[in-house]
Amino acid sequence: MKKIYISMFVLSAFFFTGCADDFLDVDQTQSISTDDIELFNSNDGAATFVTSIYSKFLDWDMSSFGWIGLASITSDDADKGSDPGDTGTDKDVLDALTYNSSNPSAESTFTAQYDGINRCNQALNIIPKLDKADPALRQRLMGEAKFLRAFMYFTLVKCYGGVPIVDHLPNPSSVEDKNMLLTRKTAAETYAFIEQDLNDAIAVLPLKSAYSDSEKARVSKGAAYALLAKVNLYQKNWQKVVDNCDLVTGYALAPDYAKMFRLEGENDIESIFEINGVGSVPIKGISGYSNTQGVRGAGGWGWGFNTPSKSLVDAYEAGDVRKAATIIFRGTTLYDGRVIPLSPTDLNQGYNFKAYSSQFTDAWETDANIKYLRYGEVLLMKAEALNELGQTSEAIGLLNQIRHRAQLGDTPATTQAAVRTAIWKERRVELAFEFDRFFDLVRTGQAESAFAADGKVFTVGKNELFPIPAIFISQANGLSQQNPGYN
């Protein structure tokens, strides 16, 4: 019987996974036969393949401890936190920017993205074969899969530079496919692939308003335009940033910044793409996301990692409501009445409020969401691009919208250079703990000076990228090279 193998070659080993109702991995040798595909040949069956992609974002290796370390603790916004003697496996070396090619967080993040890409490729391979499912639904689901694949490749290119591009399910006996899995593409080639996936997604995805309330967390046309604008931003394609931001319609700034990061603010008017934590069986939320960042010690409930740096605390202007909405300070009472007592044994001045869950505070999986794209960032991306294009007065207007929501006055900046700096600062305080700061410092050329001000040494020519996992380089056998500065 002809077999359809749902597989992917990662680190030169095949990991075979099947699809079940609970999306659990099955035996490594399991495959889905053409007969078995009939079990999924319906609208609900087709949807399960894309739901399994979303579910990947709930995993420990995708969105939790390793990713927090790699994308947040490394930045000047955050310190390792916890107790001085608790390294969190590798969070101490991430904080100090002294990691190497064997770093566990860099390896788990790399592998997790490809596991997710594998699920995208599964969906894109199988959904067209499900001829009993509604054709329009199948097109939409494939658009969702392409957006999610683009999102994962964007994470990879930001972290590692050019990476292997896997755009289909590999044939285990194909030398060409093996080379595809082990050969790094350039950053430019990776960006081009991301853009193609997003343009394909745009062509078939609906607007957010077309989704029912039960499906509002699914990606929409607006999400694809917003991500495409961000991809353009990283490549300094300023006019494309403006053009794509203009196509992100149907969204607005939420009136209350703090409420965006509470249960009542999930998938609100500002939300463009976020990962849903649920806090209930069978989908329990993002594994360990809240707990690992929760208040430690007296009156606490978590491990206490990823704490705000003094540099971040000092970055907020007087009266900026975002400060109290972003940082849990000792000696305060939270919006739900929880008291955070002073603690003589806790050396951390604060904790990440955006990861807080009120109802499931003590749980390993909570209802806290991760907001990855929201309209506030769209305004800031457009402002940055307009300013670079010489349209500084228009950029100032957008910047002031963000400031006014934070209960601040108009920016005093007027020149192009001053407005550029003001926008970069506004991104920092607006998007703190939303996994952008490290990459913003790198793409804008601020990293060396910003880290020096925070007491860290950023090595130019090395720390712009994280190391490709050493085990991958070894398995690639010359087909892929390590990033500069790593052995």
Side-chain angles (χ1 to χ4, degrees):
M1 181 182 294
K2 179 180 178 182
K3 299 286 186 178
I4 299 174
Y5 286 96
I6 301 178
S7 61
M8 181 177 173
F9 199 75
V10 178
L11 310 179
S12 87
F14 282 98
F15 294 91
F16 291 90
T17 62
C19 287
D21 289 341
D22 57 3
F23 308 112
L24 295 177
D25 291 349
V26 296
D27 185 82
Q28 291 184 353
T29 60
Q30 178 145 349
S31 57
I32 293 182
S33 72
T34 51
D35 290 340
D36 291 337
I37 277 185
E38 285 303 308
L39 296 173
F40 301 97
N41 201 354
S42 65
N43 288 349
D44 289 344
T48 61
F49 287 95
V50 176
T51 302
S52 73
I53 307 171
Y54 289 102
S55 73
K56 178 61 188 176
F57 286 94
L58 303 179
D59 285 359
W60 168 262
D61 60 347
M62 186 75 160
S63 302
S64 196
F65 205 33
W67 172 240
I68 290 165
L70 201 69
S72 192
I73 292 175
T74 51
S75 78
D76 63 339
D77 275 0
D79 295 323
K80 174 184 72 69
S82 188
D83 292 334
D86 188 347
T87 66
T89 303
D90 62 352
K91 305 309 177 287
D92 54 338
V93 295
L94 289 171
D95 195 10
L97 302 181
T98 57
Y99 41 84
N100 58 34
S101 60
S102 297
N103 180 260
S105 294
E107 181 177 325
S108 66
T109 297
F110 184 88
T111 305
Q113 303 309 311
Y114 278 109
D115 184 23
I117 289 164
N118 176 35
R119 298 188 188 199
C120 295
N121 289 338
Q122 291 174 18
L124 292 168
N125 174 263
I126 293 175
I127 289 174
K129 300 176 173 69
L130 305 179
D131 55 6
K132 294 179 183 177
D134 179 74
L137 174 63
R138 284 188 288 158
Q139 286 297 309
R140 191 203 83 194
L141 291 171
M142 292 175 70
E144 291 180 63
K146 288 204 170 184
F147 171 92
L148 294 167
R149 186 169 69 177
F151 185 88
M152 294 170 198
Y153 272 115
F154 186 46
T155 297
L156 286 167
V157 75
K158 287 188 298 181
C159 289
Y160 308 100
V163 292
I165 294 175
V166 184
D167 62 355
H168 62 273
L169 296 179
N171 181 343
S173 62
S174 168
V175 174
E176 181 179 353
D177 278 1
K178 179 179 179 180
N179 289 343
M180 170 189 70
L181 297 161
L182 297 176
T183 303
R184 293 182 67 183
K185 299 293 187 181
T186 65
E189 289 171 320
T190 307
Y191 275 119
F193 182 79
I194 293 167
E195 291 179 12
Q196 184 60 60
D197 261 359
L198 290 174
N199 283 317
D200 290 348
I202 286 166
V204 296
L205 286 175
L207 297 173
K208 183 178 180 179
S209 58
Y211 281 115
S212 65
D213 286 345
S214 64
E215 294 186 306
K216 60 186 176 182
R218 291 187 175 274
V219 295
S220 64
K221 194 181 297 287
Y225 278 127
L227 183 55
L228 186 55
K230 195 164 185 174
V231 169
N232 297 147
L233 183 78
Y234 274 67
Q235 298 175 90
K236 297 181 170 58
N237 293 328
W238 305 120
Q239 188 57 54
K240 289 183 178 180
V241 175
V242 174
D243 293 343
N244 284 301
C245 285
D246 284 343
L247 293 168
V248 181
T249 58
Y251 304 88
L253 291 180
D256 189 320
Y257 181 88
K259 289 182 180 178
M260 282 196 294
F261 304 98
R262 304 175 189 172
L263 185 63
E264 63 190 287
E266 293 180 354
N267 300 296
D268 61 3
I269 187 65
E270 186 163 341
S271 175
I272 298 176
F273 175 57
E274 64 184 85
I275 302 305
N276 274 12
V278 179
S280 61
V281 176
I283 302 174
K284 299 180 180 180
I286 303 164
S287 179
Y289 177 73
S290 296
N291 192 272
T292 56
Q293 300 178 80
V295 173
R296 188 181 181 99
W301 57 86
W303 296 6
F305 284 91
N306 196 34
T307 58
S309 65
K310 184 179 185 300
S311 175
L312 175 63
V313 173
D314 292 345
Y316 290 95
E317 298 176 39
D320 191 334
V321 300
R322 294 172 296 192
K323 183 177 183 178
T326 301
I327 303 170
I328 295 175
F329 289 101
R330 283 286 186 186
T332 61
T333 300
L334 305 187
Y335 67 89
D336 57 359
R338 184 178 296 273
V339 176
I340 311 300
L342 295 171
S343 173
T345 61
D346 187 359
L347 300 179
N348 302 305
Q349 66 175 323
Y351 296 91
N352 179 8
F353 207 168
K354 291 179 178 178
Y356 177 69
S357 167
S358 179
Q359 184 177 359
F360 300 94
T361 306
D362 298 314
W364 184 244
E365 286 110 352
T366 72
D367 57 6
N369 285 10
I370 300 178
K371 290 184 183 286
Y372 274 120
L373 291 169
R374 53 186 179 85
Y375 192 65
E377 185 180 10
V378 171
L379 294 181
L380 288 172
M381 289 193 294
K382 184 177 177 182
E384 185 173 344
L386 286 171
N387 189 55
E388 296 302 328
L389 291 169
Q391 300 173 53
T392 299
S393 60
E394 291 89 341
I396 290 172
L398 296 175
L399 178 60
N400 284 336
Q401 287 186 48
I402 298 294
R403 290 178 59 81
H404 293 167
R405 198 256 300 271
Q407 298 183 18
L408 299 175
D410 289 351
T411 178
T414 56
T415 68
Q416 184 185 45
V419 169
R420 179 184 296 120
T421 300
I423 291 169
W424 289 347
K425 180 183 177 183
E426 209 65 38
R427 281 188 65 89
R428 181 181 194 182
V429 292
E430 175 71 19
L431 303 172
F433 290 118
E434 294 179 50
F435 304 106
D436 277 298
R437 177 63 176 172
F438 179 89
F439 305 109
D440 273 349
L441 290 176
V442 170
R443 73 173 179 83
T444 59
Q446 301 176 81
E448 186 176 19
S449 59
F451 280 110
D454 198 39
K456 302 178 184 179
V457 176
F458 181 93
T459 303
V460 176
K462 174 184 178 182
N463 288 132
E464 290 87 351
L465 297 173
F466 296 107
I468 299 289
I471 188 173
F472 177 85
I473 296 298
S474 174
Q475 298 280 353
N477 195 26
L479 292 174
S480 288
Q481 299 300 312
Q482 181 57 269
N483 283 330
Y486 301 103
N487 296 323

